[in-house]
Amino acid sequence: MTWSGTTGLLAAGAGPSPSPSPGATPGGGLLGNTPTSLTEVQQSANQAASWVDQNWQDWVAGGVRIVFVVLLALVLRAVLRKLITQLISRMTRSTEESAAITGRLGGLLVNAERRRQRSEAIGSVLRSVSSFVILGTAALMVLSALGVNLAPLLASAGVAGVAIGFGARNLVTDFLSGVFMILEDQYGVGDEIDAGVASGTVLEVGLRVTKLRGADGEIWYVRNGEVKRIANMSQGWSTATLDVQVGYREDLDRVQTVILATAEDLAKSAPWDELLWEPAQVLGVESVAADSVVLRVAARTMPGKAGSYTRTLRARLKTAFDEAGITLQHQSGPASDGPAAPAAAPGAEAAPPSALADPDSPQSLAARPLDTAAPVAPQPRSGSGSGAGRDLGKG
């Protein structure tokens, strides 16, 4: 293949070279094949012009197609991002309006700031996904317009996707679980949750891992795909439950009056005038024993304040019971008004019965002492006392 001057260089950079001139020297270098006459120069220029005239329409059509694809992708991406932003703004505005209408209780339940953060996170995810899909499709169309064969690329991408799907299925599961957790607003930063595998305060919510701070200060990294159930103790309200024990013979109506009066005084004091949502109620008798009766008291507080409320109410009830003379346990007295029987020695009631208690038992008879005071039978005498003595002396 021969080249003719600068025209040959231009043609070589644009596409197939024109046919060699009749007088060109074969086998020469790029700079060694120069036209030797004006006729050869004219032939080379005509061939280059003819080649450009044949291909310029394809170049223009391809360039227009590429520009159209790029502009369409950018316009579509901008429109989708605008729609997503308006949707998120509408969701945030509707949440704030509902919080203002429903009052304090509804505001705490809805938590406008929390919903706003969640909406922004959802909008960020949607915008990223839409940009990836639109720009990726536009890039493939541009490569196709440039004449690149997309079949090997798509086949390689398919194989790689299958391999990644099998090898990183846990990662995909964690990611999808994280997306749905954010969409459904199951928990957020600062919530006290029980995720089954761990419990604590949420420090960070990611699309793959949730970070918790445990009760002892430890940090748990929980994969979102491993969470099967979630108990959120920071949403809605908390129920404070307190069991109050009084004596068996106490007047229950009087005890309930004291409990409700004490709980009402506590509800009027700070900070419980804001942290307590509903006044305390005596639900009734929880259990009855031989010496006491247990009453159950319940109240609705802000999330996470139930423990503090029960401790404070228990301390105040102790003071109120002391002032009202209410005992916590009934002390059983003697059966009669006579003098009390002497207290038995410790462990006497628990001692087993003795076999010696029965005087006719073989053990009692065997343990009976010998009777040394019994009279001795008299000895028969042959004579008088003195004769007997004499006889004894003689003998």
Side-chain angles (χ1 to χ4, degrees), residues 16 29 107 110 207 239 316 379:
V110 173
L207 294 178
T239 302
R316 294 207 176 191
Q379 298 291 335

Side-chain angles (χ1 to χ4, degrees), residues 99 102-112 234-236 274 277 302-303:
T102 54
R104 185 180 67 174
L105 178 61
L108 290 174
L109 289 176
V110 173
N111 198 346
S234 299
Q235 288 184 351
E274 297 180 358
W277 287 9
M302 285 188 63

Side-chain angles (χ1 to χ4, degrees), residues 178-196:
V179 170
F180 281 105
M181 286 180 182
I182 295 176
L183 290 176
E184 297 172 0
D185 192 22
Q186 297 180 5
Y187 53 82
V189 176
D191 288 352
E192 188 75 19
I193 69 170
D194 181 3

Side-chain angles (χ1 to χ4, degrees), residues 140 143-144 147-159:
L140 293 177
L143 292 177
S144 177
V148 178
N149 189 7
L150 298 180
L153 180 61
L154 296 178
S156 301
V159 174

Side-chain angles (χ1 to χ4, degrees), residues 64 81 108 128 253 256 335:
V64 171
R81 291 174 67 90
L108 290 174
S128 299
D253 293 337
Q256 292 184 15

